[in-house]
Amino acid sequence: MAEWQSTVTPTALARLLGTTPTTTPRPAYQRLATQIRTLVSQGRLPVGARLPAERELALALALSRTTVATAYETLRADGYLRSRRGSGSWTALPEGSRPPSDALHPVPPDESGRTLDLGVAALPAPQPYLGQAASRALEQLPAYAAGHGHFPTGVPVLREAVARRFTERGLPTTPDQILITTGAMGALHLARQALLSRGDRVAVEAPSYAHTLQSLQQDGARLVPVPHTWPGGPTEQPCWDTAEWQRVLRGAAPRAAFVIPDFHNPTGALVDEEQRRALLAAARTAGTTVIVDETLAELDWDTDTMPRPTAALDRAAQVVTIGSAGKILWGGLRIGWLRAQPSLIRRLANDRAFTDLGTPVLDQLIAAELLTEHLPAVRAHQHHRLRSSAYALAAALRAQLPDWQFAFPAGGLCLWLSTGPHSGSALAKAGDRQGLRLAAGARFGIDGAFEHHLRLPLTVTPADAPTAIARLAAAGPTGEDTPPPAL
Amino acid sequence: MAEWQSTVTPTALARLLGTTPTTTPRPAYQRLATQIRTLVSQGRLPVGARLPAERELALALALSRTTVATAYETLRADGYLRSRRGSGSWTALPEGSRPPSDALHPVPPDESGRTLDLGVAALPAPQPYLGQAASRALEQLPAYAAGHGHFPTGVPVLREAVARRFTERGLPTTPDQILITTGAMGALHLARQALLSRGDRVAVEAPSYAHTLQSLQQDGARLVPVPHTWPGGPTEQPCWDTAEWQRVLRGAAPRAAFVIPDFHNPTGALVDEEQRRALLAAARTAGTTVIVDETLAELDWDTDTMPRPTAALDRAAQVVTIGSAGKILWGGLRIGWLRAQPSLIRRLANDRAFTDLGTPVLDQLIAAELLTEHLPAVRAHQHHRLRSSAYALAAALRAQLPDWQFAFPAGGLCLWLSTGPHSGSALAKAGDRQGLRLAAGARFGIDGAFEHHLRLPLTVTPADAPTAIARLAAAGPTGEDTPPPAL
């Protein structure tokens, strides 16, 4: 089992450093600084990762403490490290530098023409439904425009529509259990602030959504990764390792567990009700709050039997559910929500006075209109797009890169690709030169885990899929490859 | 000069407690707990204020430490206090409780019919301009809907429109100096996270915007209040006390100064260029970043000679400017912005991956359309509304409450009212019973300062103004009055 860790352990960093080639025999501190900078630039050390204390790293690398201290000082001067008294040192990017080539941030519009962007896992809006819903929302706007437009908990029609949709999916819900947020990240941000303190242990799936891992680490949470398992082998559906979850919840009694049971990002895993029940039972015993990310739950494009929402199996009111219009409707609406006890909803609505004060009215009206009037059509539209993309990408991968393995998912937004001996970070970097923007697997892990993986979002059109995979094949092998870790 | 303080000092709390009547001779710990709970409920101790350590408060009140410890424990059990090991204890509200009667949060729609809401300082949208701009924005939406809709720095047309408006106002600006945020609070949130560390000193005007003070305190900033002065007497315009600002910046060398020089919230002060220059010079010497809140800068409804934006006088690139569409256009758009060096803009755009990931597209298009096509008409419309409201409120106050003093402002969104011997917190509470929702002055200060003030937003129609002031007159005196503090 992985250690309880939110920081890069000396051993993990030493291992990562071992995979970074050095050329000239410069002073030892300069070599170390260069290696760490390379790891950060390639995204193999995530930005915001806490590095070992100087003394510990010196010990692990058999270097003098002065060498490590001078290397850290060099990195600080170059902007690759930030330190705070008492909190240690964290990886960073220099002001003004571009994010690493495999960053999850979108490509600026002026670049997107030349590049196939497989960094961002988000779809275009479903037209003509977005336009129709926006027109209807506009007709409702004057009634809202007569007031000051502040709705800390959300516009009532959207709270009602979201509650109704939860109820349809098998989880009876009232509007006072719903907080409308600025995207799912807005919901997670409020939950993190209200429920977690610096130093709290948080159990997370390994791998998991990159921004969630980074934001939890930035908050000072101590992450406890629980790996997915592939019981049928690497080309069959993954799921939770229930025994390991039980062991972690019993042993670490984490303050919270963050899970994505519905078409997990990035593996695509769809966890069944039995596993959900087992996790909830263990969490109840441990006193652990379960934060369920349902961002992808509506993307069931290849299955007719969806499990009920996790909170529907929750008898102890210990589940906080985060949802989003971002994947099924459109990311440009920036509409998310959080479902919890009404008392927590009211508290979070107060807390957000210090962050965004509320979510724009018009986008809430549009989301309510889409959920109420167009959801079946929108689901069919988006499901068709995702299914076509998934089959086209899978066919291209089997034809052009037959040795790279993946489990074909039943829904969700990505393929999780094992790149065999090839470094995903190096592939992402090489992909950039081929006009293919990629998210390296290491972005979804802690401490350089999943270095031999890539996440392929199902955002490429079927027509572009062969080109995308051809560029991927041209990107690797790269010469920067490293052997996969021993199991 | 006030001490550098972010916490309620034992002396300040002892003084506040002295103004809270106690009736029955219960155990001392219970009396103390009840008094503190009352101060929190009335908003006289802001939620999130850090209380003195048990030992210190025991000393200040001449009680045993056990008595204070038991009182704190009682408050914790009731939800009025939260404690963290190493960070002390902070006032709170129990989960599920309504915010205090003078909270700045909007009244829920089902209550608003019965109540004149003078809690929220925000206007209805300027119609028909909002509707016209929204229709035009809708025509532009399909081009954006074809992409994933994520714009971490903002949609280019709005960045350009905001940069152009800064330039028009006398501050040459390029789009890469602009970050579009989810409201001005979104901008402040990102700036707080990036620029401040727990324990940093931050100089603030006294009084200042309540949410800013609370959010800074929640972050663990040590606030250094610098009082406004009224050199012409209480009915003439206030301004900065330049000598005091120089003394504070030299003496405390705060990490940042947060100021609202353009129609200050809540006093309405409009600071001239000479004072702006003096503050910038002192801040440069002290190494202090100046965060300028220009949320109200477009509300110049009673003056033809606006000073240039503060950043226009800044030669050292030490100013971060926060602006908003929320007051001049509409709060329901939730559009704000931050102007700074391009390097900082890029860094903040990365940081927001952990908060809201971006601001909705459609609202950005609407704001761009309003700024580009309708700004002169919108300004005239909103200025007329604010001017009418200000004159009507001032006339009603002079007629019905001639002893309560205020300086009539040249712009902005509120009157700052001295309530003489009457407790603003008690008035706000009594106002609730009269169907008048009010923001007590103490919400805009630290440690119970401005207890004898109220903020009246210019959001009441001229027709409603006499009714609002009649309800205010009926609310006080209340029997809970306390003498104003000695000068």
Side-chain angles (χ1 to χ4, degrees):
Chain A
M1 183 172 60
E3 289 192 344
W4 322 141
Q5 53 196 357
S6 68
T7 63
V8 188
T9 62
T11 323
L13 185 53
R15 197 186 62 225
L16 271 170
L17 289 168
T19 68
T20 309
T22 56
T23 42
T24 42
R26 287 165 296 189
Y29 81 86
Q30 218 171 82
R31 196 161 57 229
L32 179 58
T34 306
Q35 288 180 296
I36 293 178
R37 197 173 56 221
T38 305
L39 289 171
V40 173
S41 303
Q42 294 185 346
R44 293 166 68 181
L45 263 181
V47 173
R50 186 170 168 183
L51 294 192
E54 293 165 2
R55 187 194 308 270
E56 293 171 4
L57 186 58
L59 205 65
L61 297 176
L63 292 171
S64 79
R65 182 160 173 196
T66 311
T67 300
V68 176
T70 314
Y72 277 19
E73 189 48 47
T74 306
L75 288 165
R76 263 191 294 275
D78 293 349
Y80 284 91
L81 201 63
R82 289 191 208 146
S83 302
R84 277 186 201 168
R85 205 178 304 245
S87 304
S89 297
W90 306 75
T91 55
L93 284 175
E95 287 195 14
S97 71
R98 283 189 53 204
S101 57
D102 60 345
L104 304 177
H105 268 87
V107 186
D110 56 333
E111 295 185 20
S112 53
R114 290 173 273 147
T115 300
L116 277 173
D117 187 355
L118 293 188
V120 178
L123 293 174
Q127 289 287 34
Y129 311 107
L130 176 69
Q132 291 172 5
S135 295
R136 284 278 298 140
L138 212 55
E139 295 167 18
Q140 299 155 36
L141 188 61
Y144 293 88
H148 47 51
H150 291 272
F151 294 88
T153 51
V155 169
V157 288
L158 181 55
R159 295 178 85 192
E160 286 159 20
V162 170
R164 203 158 49 232
R165 182 60 187 153
F166 270 115
T167 305
E168 283 171 9
R169 289 175 53 225
L171 173 57
T173 301
T174 51
D176 62 351
Q177 291 174 285
I178 300 295
L179 178 74
I180 305 301
T181 59
T182 308
M185 280 313 289
L188 180 64
H189 179 70
L190 290 169
R192 272 161 41 212
Q193 281 199 328
L195 303 177
L196 300 177
S197 301
R198 187 163 279 276
D200 278 350
R201 279 192 287 267
V202 178
V204 295
E205 295 157 308
S208 189
Y209 179 50
H211 285 162
T212 297
L213 296 180
Q214 287 174 40
S215 66
L216 288 167
Q217 286 182 314
Q218 184 183 271
D219 288 353
R222 290 184 287 165
L223 299 188
V224 187
V226 187
H228 273 63
T229 61
W230 277 256
T235 59
E236 298 297 324
Q237 279 305 313
C239 63
W240 285 342
D241 182 340
T242 294
E244 181 67 7
W245 269 105
Q246 287 166 337
R247 207 150 81 84
V248 163
L249 291 170
R250 196 171 50 232
R255 177 76 189 84
F258 176 87
V259 291
I260 315 175
D262 303 277
F263 310 117
H264 176 263
N265 184 355
T267 68
L270 177 62
V271 175
D272 65 25
E273 288 196 10
E274 190 187 330
Q275 287 206 315
R276 295 176 194 221
R277 276 207 186 82
L279 184 136
L280 289 177
R284 187 165 61 238
T285 307
T288 299
T289 299
V290 181
I291 304 175
V292 175
D293 179 347
E294 289 191 355
T295 299
L296 304 157
E298 294 277 6
L299 305 184
D300 48 328
W301 47 260
D302 215 21
T303 177
D304 294 326
T305 53
M306 276 298 284
R308 277 175 293 167
T310 306
L313 313 170
D314 168 35
R315 293 194 205 144
Q318 64 188 336
V319 171
V320 171
T321 305
I322 289 170
S324 174
K327 305 303 185 185
I328 186 67
L329 304 181
W330 187 42
L333 292 174
R334 310 299 318 122
I335 295 289
W337 49 80
L338 185 145
R339 180 192 183 278
Q341 295 283 87
S343 58
L344 180 58
I345 296 299
R346 285 192 294 268
R347 181 173 153 207
L348 296 178
N350 275 331
D351 288 351
R352 80 190 297 185
F354 305 154
T355 55
D356 62 4
L357 211 56
T359 299
V361 170
L362 190 56
D363 306 81
Q364 294 189 63
L365 298 177
I366 295 171
E369 186 73 18
L370 283 168
L371 287 177
T372 309
E373 302 296 332
H374 300 286
L375 190 61
V378 165
R379 280 171 47 87
H381 180 99
Q382 301 290 57
H383 287 187
H384 174 72
R385 180 145 62 182
L386 290 166
R387 200 186 299 112
S388 315
S389 176
Y391 280 99
L393 277 173
L397 280 166
R398 286 175 187 133
Q400 302 184 49
L401 288 165
D403 295 338
W404 294 11
Q405 295 180 313
F406 58 91
F408 193 80
L413 206 43
C414 30
L415 298 184
W416 180 239
L417 198 57
S418 293
T419 52
H422 309 296
S423 154
S425 307
L427 282 167
K429 206 175 168 196
D432 240 23
R433 291 191 293 270
Q434 301 289 338
L436 182 67
R437 199 175 154 89
L438 289 167
R443 310 272 307 176
F444 304 89
I446 306 167
D447 288 359
F450 308 107
E451 174 55 23
H452 295 82
H453 288 83
L454 285 175
R455 184 188 76 167
L456 290 189
L458 308 176
T459 51
V460 80
T461 63
D464 281 340
T467 312
I469 302 305
R471 290 185 188 178
L472 181 56
T478 61
E480 291 185 52
D481 295 341
T482 55
L487 287 176
Chain B
M1 183 172 61
E3 288 194 340
W4 323 139
Q5 54 196 358
S6 68
T7 64
V8 186
T9 62
T11 323
L13 185 52
R15 197 186 63 224
L16 270 171
L17 289 168
T19 68
T20 309
T22 56
T23 44
T24 43
R26 286 164 297 186
Y29 82 86
Q30 219 171 82
R31 195 161 57 232
L32 178 58
T34 306
Q35 287 180 297
I36 293 177
R37 198 174 53 223
T38 305
L39 289 171
V40 173
S41 303
Q42 293 185 346
R44 293 166 69 182
L45 263 181
V47 173
R50 186 169 168 180
L51 294 191
E54 293 165 2
R55 188 193 309 269
E56 292 171 4
L57 186 58
L59 206 66
L61 297 176
L63 292 171
S64 78
R65 183 162 170 195
T66 310
T67 300
V68 176
T70 314
Y72 276 19
E73 188 49 46
T74 306
L75 288 165
R76 262 192 293 275
D78 294 349
Y80 284 91
L81 201 63
R82 287 191 211 149
S83 302
R84 277 187 202 169
R85 205 178 303 245
S87 305
S89 297
W90 306 74
T91 56
L93 284 175
E95 286 195 15
S97 71
R98 284 189 54 204
S101 57
D102 59 345
L104 304 178
H105 268 86
V107 186
D110 56 331
E111 295 185 19
S112 54
R114 289 173 273 147
T115 301
L116 277 173
D117 187 354
L118 293 189
V120 178
L123 293 174
Q127 289 286 33
Y129 311 107
L130 176 69
Q132 291 172 4
S135 296
R136 284 278 298 138
L138 212 54
E139 294 168 18
Q140 300 154 35
L141 188 61
Y144 293 88
H148 48 51
H150 291 273
F151 294 87
T153 52
V155 169
V157 287
L158 181 55
R159 295 177 85 192
E160 286 158 20
V162 170
R164 202 159 48 233
R165 182 61 188 153
F166 271 115
T167 305
E168 284 170 10
R169 290 174 52 225
L171 173 57
T173 301
T174 51
D176 62 351
Q177 292 175 286
I178 300 295
L179 179 74
I180 304 301
T181 59
T182 308
M185 280 313 288
L188 180 64
H189 179 69
L190 290 169
R192 273 162 40 213
Q193 281 200 329
L195 303 176
L196 300 177
S197 302
R198 186 162 280 277
D200 278 350
R201 279 192 286 266
V202 178
V204 295
E205 295 157 308
S208 188
Y209 178 50
H211 286 162
T212 297
L213 296 179
Q214 288 175 38
S215 66
L216 287 167
Q217 286 182 314
Q218 184 184 270
D219 288 353
R222 291 184 287 163
L223 300 188
V224 186
V226 186
H228 273 63
T229 60
W230 277 256
T235 58
E236 298 298 325
Q237 280 304 315
C239 64
W240 285 342
D241 182 340
T242 294
E244 181 67 7
W245 269 104
Q246 287 165 338
R247 208 149 81 84
V248 163
L249 291 170
R250 196 170 50 234
R255 177 75 190 80
F258 176 87
V259 292
I260 315 176
D262 304 277
F263 310 118
H264 177 264
N265 183 358
T267 68
L270 177 62
V271 174
D272 66 25
E273 289 195 10
E274 190 187 330
Q275 288 206 314
R276 295 176 194 221
R277 275 206 187 83
L279 183 135
L280 289 177
R284 187 165 61 237
T285 307
T288 298
T289 299
V290 181
I291 304 175
V292 175
D293 179 347
E294 289 191 355
T295 299
L296 304 158
E298 294 277 7
L299 305 184
D300 47 328
W301 46 261
D302 216 21
T303 177
D304 294 326
T305 54
M306 276 298 285
R308 276 175 294 169
T310 306
L313 313 170
D314 168 34
R315 292 193 206 146
Q318 63 187 338
V319 170
V320 171
T321 305
I322 289 171
S324 174
K327 306 303 187 188
I328 185 68
L329 304 180
W330 188 42
L333 293 174
R334 310 297 318 120
I335 295 289
W337 49 81
L338 185 144
R339 180 192 184 279
Q341 296 282 86
S343 57
L344 180 58
I345 297 298
R346 285 191 295 266
R347 180 171 154 208
L348 296 178
N350 275 331
D351 288 351
R352 80 190 296 187
F354 305 153
T355 56
D356 63 4
L357 211 55
T359 299
V361 170
L362 189 56
D363 306 83
Q364 295 188 63
L365 299 177
I366 295 172
E369 186 72 18
L370 283 168
L371 287 177
T372 309
E373 301 296 331
H374 301 285
L375 191 60
V378 165
R379 281 171 46 87
H381 179 100
Q382 301 290 58
H383 287 187
H384 173 74
R385 181 145 60 183
L386 290 165
R387 201 185 298 113
S388 315
S389 177
Y391 280 98
L393 277 173
L397 280 166
R398 285 174 188 135
Q400 300 184 50
L401 288 163
D403 295 340
W404 294 11
Q405 294 180 314
F406 59 92
F408 193 80
L413 206 44
C414 29
L415 299 184
W416 181 239
L417 199 57
S418 293
T419 52
H422 308 297
S423 154
S425 307
L427 282 167
K429 205 174 169 197
D432 239 23
R433 290 191 293 270
Q434 301 289 338
L436 182 67
R437 199 174 154 91
L438 289 167
R443 311 272 306 177
F444 304 88
I446 307 168
D447 289 0
F450 308 107
E451 174 55 22
H452 296 82
H453 287 83
L454 285 173
R455 183 188 75 166
L456 289 189
L458 308 177
T459 51
V460 80
T461 63
D464 281 340
T467 312
I469 301 306
R471 290 185 189 178
L472 180 58
T478 62
E480 292 183 50
D481 295 340
T482 56
L487 286 176

